[in-house]
Amino acid sequence: GLDQGVTVITAPLVDQEVEGRRTSCYALPGELAGALEGRLADLVFIDGPAGPPGIRFGTLPLVQPFVRAGATFVLDDALRDGELEVAREWAALPYASVLGVRLLEHGLLIGRVGAA
């Protein structure tokens, strides 16, 4: 019953430069802007990609142009060493604020994103 409100977009992993850092991350397809139909997201839930420590770094910077200022982002499995390092790197970005980690299962990092 969610067909009216959900669009699934495939984004393969590619090596790319994000915020001056070379990383493997999702290649956001051109149809993302079209799928949003001019709207900006209020919530970003990051649960992937799976890979070596730090692989999730690029996701937040790549989606930031499609996110409303003040939107919430959540990172799953935030208590892993690689994700804690990603949290430190995100906190240094001018458009991201890391608010903390909820101690649920493997941790949920919660933050806010704003305009660059």
Side-chain angles (χ1 to χ4, degrees):
L2 295 176
D3 293 348
Q4 300 282 340
V6 174
T7 302
V8 176
I9 298 174
T10 302
L13 289 176
V14 297
D15 288 332
Q16 56 189 306
E17 188 169 317
V18 178
E19 292 289 346
R21 173 181 168 176
R22 198 88 194 134
T23 185
S24 180
C25 195
Y26 294 121
L28 294 183
E31 67 256 25
L32 178 59
L36 290 171
E37 298 175 345
R39 296 170 299 196
L40 296 174
D42 293 313
L43 173 68
V44 177
F45 190 89
I46 302 168
D47 188 16
I55 195 165
R56 295 180 177 184
F57 168 78
T59 305
L60 187 63
L62 289 173
V63 301
Q64 188 269 336
F66 304 100
V67 175
R68 182 178 321 281
T72 299
F73 65 87
V74 178
L75 175 67
D76 193 32
D77 299 320
L79 293 175
R80 294 190 299 206
D81 290 342
E83 276 61 36
L84 291 171
E85 180 58 31
V86 165
R88 282 189 281 280
E89 293 177 19
W90 283 347
L93 296 173
Y95 51 82
S97 300
V98 173
L99 303 176
V101 176
R102 297 274 183 160
L103 301 177
L104 301 170
E105 296 192 24
H106 297 111
L108 289 175
L109 178 134
I110 300 170
R112 296 251 187 256
V113 65

